[in-house]
Amino acid sequence: MKAIVVDKTGGPEALQFKDSPKPKAEAGQILVKNHAIGVNYIDTYHRKGIYPMPTPFIPGAEGAGEVVEVGPDVTDFKVGDRVAYTGSKSYAEFTPVPVLSAGKIPDNVSYSDASALLLQGLTAWTMVRDGYPVKKGDYVLVHAAAGGVGLLLCQMANLLGATVIGTVSNDEKAKLAKQNGAHHIINYSHEDTVARVQELTNGQGCHAVLDGVGASTFETSLKSVRRLGTLISFGNASGVVPPISIAILGEKSIKLMRPRLYAYIATKEEKDKWWGELFQLLADKKLNIQIYKTYKLEDAKTAHTDIESRKTVGKLLLEL
Ligand SMILES: NC(=O)c1ccc[n+]([C@@H]2O[C@H](COP(=O)([O-])OP(=O)(O)OC[C@H]3O[C@@H](n4cnc5c(N)ncnc54)[C@H](OP(=O)(O)O)[C@@H]3O)[C@@H](O)[C@H]2O)c1
């Protein structure tokens, strides 16, 4: 089959389009022929070696397609089922997927939409429902508000009744984040985020700060949380947050959380709950899926260059 293979970690050029052995569905797995493959920031961490993986490896954490083979003991799925999944090795024509990581998708949901929504949608929904359960009247600050996770966070926090403040780097992103639920936008290229947050929250700061940018925003995020508030640091787009002394949380008695999605969907019950709620939001037309661009699988390196260049908004996909 055709696949993207990383023999040696590094820049986007590490993503090589190659022939690779076609996998089989082993016990507990289904084999999925991918129709849409999600690009996620974590793919860049794997490619660069920030999250180390044994080489060579096929990157990719999400996809959607049809089941073409089921493992010996698999009863929940059959050949021909339309599925989406989170996991690994999705930058390929075929991906073996443990059944726990896969789910059937409704007939009226396209492979592209399923793959655009799943990983970022689960990340965002678990964050606003469990990481910090957003409630009516809250102020919530969302960094990278026009990004893949960011646009979904804006919509979801708005839906739950919060006043959403989004940070972005340019006016085009500002417009999109506003169209997707942000009430106030801070363009940090020419505005002071901490000062604007204080102004918008009557000097109190935000109940929750949702920060997927990491190193460059951590200080700003700390200053933007209100007394007894919550800071969720969920990613490293600008680099890994350096080690901190927990004493810094004491000044305002704030909670600090560092979630990873996989801890939320570790059992079938958990997976069914969060998937069910997410796809229900979609069925109820409460979510707008924003696809920036669909690239050919062989152009994965361009997709990585683009997402790291900060020019993208919403979701990037690959197709064969
Ligand atoms: N914890 C989890 O389980 C989990 C799951 C999914 C995603 N994530 C994290 O969520 C974050 C967002 O992921 P995404 O795929 O939706 O990406 P994204 O937000 O679409 O892209 C990253 C955005 O971060 C902002 N940014 C600020 N400084 C940056 C820098 N130095 N380099 C690159 N980007 C910078 C840019 O927006 P502006 O130009 O507007 O600032 C950029 O568009 C990532 O950190 C990712 O790792 C975590």
Side-chain angles (χ1 to χ4, degrees):
M1 66 168 183
K2 293 292 184 196
I4 296 290
V5 178
V6 174
D7 287 321
K8 192 169 176 295
T9 54
E13 68 289 348
L15 302 170
Q16 299 172 68
F17 185 62
K18 281 190 176 181
D19 286 323
S20 182
K22 183 179 168 187
K24 283 186 139 352
E26 308 287 352
Q29 293 181 335
I30 52 177
L31 187 68
V32 178
K33 180 174 169 47
N34 291 309
H35 289 284
I37 298 161
V39 175
N40 290 287
Y41 227 93
I42 193 171
D43 306 340
T44 70
Y45 309 149
H46 289 142
R47 189 206 75 220
K48 290 195 273 204
I50 296 177
Y51 293 172
M53 303 266 281
T55 51
F57 66 90
I58 294 175
E62 162 185 60
E66 60 187 289
V67 177
V68 290
E69 211 180 292
V70 296
D73 56 348
V74 171
T75 52
D76 294 356
F77 295 91
K78 60 180 189 326
V79 169
D81 281 346
R82 302 173 74 250
V83 297
Y85 62 90
T86 56
S88 59
K89 301 182 187 163
S90 64
Y91 284 21
E93 221 172 320
F94 298 95
T95 303
V97 181
V99 289
L100 181 59
S101 307
K104 291 175 198 165
I105 54 176
D107 288 343
N108 63 344
V109 176
S110 67
Y111 290 126
S112 297
D113 280 356
S115 195
L117 176 66
L118 188 62
L119 194 151
Q120 295 179 338
L122 289 170
T123 301
W125 189 239
T126 51
M127 209 178 322
V128 296
R129 295 296 289 157
D130 183 272
Y132 174 79
V134 174
K135 54 189 190 318
K136 198 169 166 22
D138 284 347
Y139 284 94
V140 174
L141 180 67
V142 178
H143 286 298
V149 179
L151 281 179
L152 291 163
L153 283 173
C154 290
Q155 295 177 57
M156 290 169 175
N158 179 310
L159 194 67
L160 294 168
T163 298
V164 181
I165 306 172
T167 74
V168 297
S169 60
N170 66 44
D171 291 341
E172 184 208 341
K173 291 184 177 190
K175 192 168 158 206
L176 191 66
K178 271 209 153 179
Q179 284 164 355
N180 283 275
H183 298 91
H184 305 281
I185 290 294
I186 302 172
N187 181 337
Y188 65 83
S189 303
H190 59 79
E191 290 180 288
D192 178 335
T193 301
V194 176
R196 282 281 287 140
V197 165
Q198 293 306 318
E199 196 179 298
L200 291 165
T201 60
N202 301 317
Q204 300 294 303
C206 290
H207 296 81
V209 177
L210 312 178
D211 184 348
V213 173
S216 69
T217 46
F218 189 74
E219 280 296 319
T220 302
S221 295
L222 264 184
K223 290 181 184 154
S224 302
V225 190
R226 71 171 50 198
R227 185 172 57 81
L228 307 179
T230 299
L231 166 52
I232 304 186
S233 176
F234 65 94
N236 327 305
S238 68
V240 177
V241 177
I244 55 151
S245 158
I246 58 171
I248 62 174
L249 308 177
E251 192 188 329
K252 291 187 281 187
S253 290
I254 63 169
K255 300 183 186 76
L256 173 65
M257 185 195 197
R258 203 329 176 172
R260 292 252 336 241
L261 172 63
Y262 295 106
Y264 275 104
I265 50 174
T267 69
K268 180 170 168 21
E269 292 69 32
E270 289 166 343
K271 186 201 89 180
D272 289 349
K273 169 189 157 58
W274 294 113
W275 278 58
E277 291 181 14
L278 182 68
F279 278 96
Q280 192 57 51
L281 289 174
L282 190 65
D284 293 343
K285 303 202 181 321
K286 292 189 171 144
L287 291 180
N288 170 35
I289 296 173
Q290 184 77 34
I291 296 173
Y292 171 74
K293 190 167 164 186
T294 302
Y295 304 73
K296 287 284 174 204
L297 181 62
E298 57 259 48
D299 296 328
K301 58 172 79 125
T302 311
H304 276 219
T305 304
D306 287 353
I307 197 170
E308 289 182 297
S309 75
R310 304 161 67 163
K311 70 178 186 192
T312 66
V313 291
K315 185 74 181 184
L316 286 67
L317 293 176
L318 304 173
E319 65 176 13
L320 284 130

